Amino acid sequence: MVLYRKYRPKNFSQVVGQEHVTQTLQGALKTGSVAHAYLFTGPRGTGKTTIARLLAKAVNCDRAESEGVLRPEGRMYDACGVCSFCKEVEEGKAFDLVEIDAASNRGIEEIRALREGARFASARGKHKIYIIDECHQLTKEASNALLKTLEEPPVKTIFILATTEASKVLPTIASRTQRFDFKKLNSEQIVAKLQNISFTEKIDIDKNILLLIAEQSEGSLRDAESSLSKLVAFRGNKIDEEAVKEILGFIPENIFFDFFQMVKDKKKSEAVSLINNLYESGLDLDNFVKGLLGYIRKILIARASGSNLNRANPNERIQALAASFDSKYIFRLFGSFMRAQQEMKISPIPQLPLEIAVVELTED
Ligand SMILES: [Zn+2]
């Protein structure tokens, strides 16, 4: 079983991060002021559809209100997980919850059906809930049909629009929704969840390695959980750094620092042979350049913050590089590696553009 599915939160209290969303939604459930349309925006893998489903569950849960007082603190106005509606949602067969994926299907048929369907309240007296994922991908016709529905919202119907690109959603649609901006999760939050999963699944993995996975997932909990699934699938329940390197194409931090140092010291042949060694070891050079650009950003931030060092991620080698590179040189590095990354896509010899970049940077 895929870990991210198995460990998908079953109620609001299990959600990692996004407290600004879950607390506001639970407040609305409590006061009976749930909006008829929401817009959930934010990066992939940050819990938009998960929270949309939890809202659907909590709104229709048979026991959310009546037994709220009997539940532990913070579990009031939340999905109970045992009533028939909660069960149906978990099994993916709740009739009153309709999920439309606008990315794979531009949606005109679905929105038309939705307009028809939304006119009739749920047969069981529950709310009808529509989750429209990647709603910025709806066709113009589908968007207009949706807009009409939002202008005259049917009773007991809730629309939850989710998108990774809020700027592409029609402003007329966005203005009729209550908007929540989901944030990328930080490494600490991701590591905590991965630790939890590892403990339950009896996966033997070091916290430092979980941190590597978290950093590579760039704030997407789903990506981090997928990476862990992949590692377990290939290596079983004992995972070391070697496995992470091999399976996730992970490049140890010190390689980046060594590389920057060689470039800075104009050690041309050493830097070029490092690239060749990486390439021959089967490493994805595209990942390497992406990593380089990521470190250039960290160096730039370290420089900009000066003595006000980033306490969340104190890294002596980044600080040292930041102190020895001036801004102009950082821009030059950035330009060279950006160009190399573009050219690598069309170069018949994948490592050549990167080698040229190194030669350029180490000459003069
Ligand atoms: Zn329930």
Side-chain angles (χ1 to χ4, degrees):
M1 194 179 200
V2 188
L3 293 175
Y4 86 81
R5 263 193 221 124
K6 185 169 172 184
Y7 289 90
R8 184 175 274 162
K10 290 183 164 47
N11 53 56
F12 285 126
S13 64
Q14 291 176 356
V15 176
V16 178
Q18 321 303 355
E19 290 84 4
H20 63 300
V21 183
T22 54
Q23 283 172 8
T24 311
L25 291 176
Q26 283 190 275
L29 285 160
K30 192 174 175 181
T31 53
S33 56
V34 174
H36 71 86
Y38 288 97
L39 178 60
F40 289 178
T41 80
R44 49 182 260 112
T46 52
K48 297 186 295 296
T49 42
T50 296
I51 290 180
R53 286 192 197 121
L54 293 180
L55 176 61
K57 262 197 205 173
V59 163
N60 278 340
C61 177
D62 291 330
R63 302 164 69 169
E65 241 170 297
S66 59
E67 292 181 23
V69 281
L70 302 175
R71 301 215 207 125
E73 194 66 30
R75 286 292 309 276
M76 267 190 248
Y77 306 101
D78 200 347
C80 75
V82 293
C83 75
S84 59
F85 190 83
C86 284
K87 283 262 177 253
E88 281 171 21
V89 172
E90 277 169 30
E91 289 159 12
K93 42 187 183 197
F95 182 71
D96 292 319
L97 171 64
V98 181
E99 294 192 38
I100 297 169
D101 178 14
S104 59
N105 190 317
R106 304 302 297 280
I108 189 67
E109 283 307 315
E110 278 78 4
I111 300 294
R112 212 171 273 152
L114 176 158
R115 290 197 69 196
E116 293 300 311
R119 273 198 250 148
F120 306 100
S122 154
R124 296 185 293 180
K126 297 207 174 282
H127 281 82
K128 258 202 122 92
I129 292 134
Y130 293 91
I131 299 174
I132 306 175
D133 203 10
E134 295 304 344
C135 66
H136 66 278
Q137 301 230 37
L138 289 173
T139 59
K140 211 173 165 201
E141 291 83 357
S143 292
N144 285 329
L146 176 63
L147 179 60
K148 286 211 174 76
T149 312
L150 293 179
E151 280 167 348
E152 296 159 36
V155 283
K156 286 200 123 180
T157 304
I158 298 168
F159 296 93
I160 307 167
L161 316 179
T163 181
T164 47
E165 292 177 68
S167 60
K168 291 188 184 163
V169 178
L170 281 183
T172 42
I173 287 184
S175 70
R176 283 181 170 77
T177 62
Q178 188 177 336
R179 173 171 166 166
F180 284 106
D181 289 74
F182 283 59
K183 296 177 189 142
K184 281 189 175 185
L185 295 162
N186 63 37
S187 295
E188 224 169 284
Q189 292 169 318
I190 294 177
V191 168
K193 175 90 191 255
L194 295 182
Q195 266 184 317
N196 232 321
I197 296 175
S198 304
F199 179 77
T200 315
E201 296 288 319
K202 297 188 170 64
I203 301 166
D204 182 4
I205 185 166
D206 219 57
K207 193 181 171 186
N208 287 334
I209 301 175
L210 292 177
L211 190 60
L212 296 182
I213 298 173
E215 282 177 356
Q216 209 198 25
S217 67
E218 293 173 4
S220 164
L221 181 59
R222 187 172 60 218
D223 284 359
E225 288 168 328
S226 298
S227 293
L228 187 59
S229 290
K230 209 159 144 193
L231 288 163
V232 172
F234 283 106
R235 284 293 167 90
N237 280 18
K238 191 164 170 50
I239 296 156
D240 54 17
E241 193 173 335
E242 209 46 47
V244 177
K245 229 169 97 181
E246 193 181 316
I247 295 160
L248 303 182
F250 177 79
I251 309 159
E253 209 171 36
N254 60 325
I255 291 189
F256 291 106
F257 294 130
D258 291 347
F259 182 76
F260 280 124
Q261 201 62 48
M262 288 172 195
V263 171
K264 184 181 161 272
D265 297 343
K266 305 205 180 296
K267 292 180 175 161
K268 193 192 301 177
S269 66
E270 280 182 40
V272 169
S273 62
L274 179 84
I275 294 168
N276 273 298
N277 290 340
L278 288 175
Y279 181 69
E280 273 157 29
S281 72
L283 193 127
D284 182 1
L285 282 185
D286 196 53
N287 253 347
F288 178 64
V289 180
K290 231 173 125 182
L292 284 177
L293 293 169
Y295 278 102
I296 291 172
R297 180 171 170 268
K298 285 186 187 174
I299 294 167
L300 190 68
I301 291 173
R303 256 196 86 78
S305 46
S307 57
N308 222 342
L309 302 180
N310 182 4
R311 283 186 199 86
N313 186 18
N315 189 315
E316 282 173 24
R317 293 196 76 176
I318 287 181
Q319 304 301 344
L321 287 172
S324 63
F325 289 178
D326 61 19
S327 305
K328 228 176 170 178
Y329 190 66
I330 296 173
F331 299 154
R332 199 175 149 203
L333 288 172
F334 176 75
S336 296
F337 293 126
M338 272 297 285
R339 221 169 20 250
Q341 192 190 33
Q342 288 305 311
E343 286 165 2
M344 278 161 68
K345 290 178 189 153
I346 49 168
S347 168
I349 305 167
Q351 69 273 47
L352 184 59
L354 196 51
E355 288 166 350
I356 290 174
V358 167
V359 172
E360 265 173 13
L361 286 164
T362 52
E363 259 165 14
D364 75 39

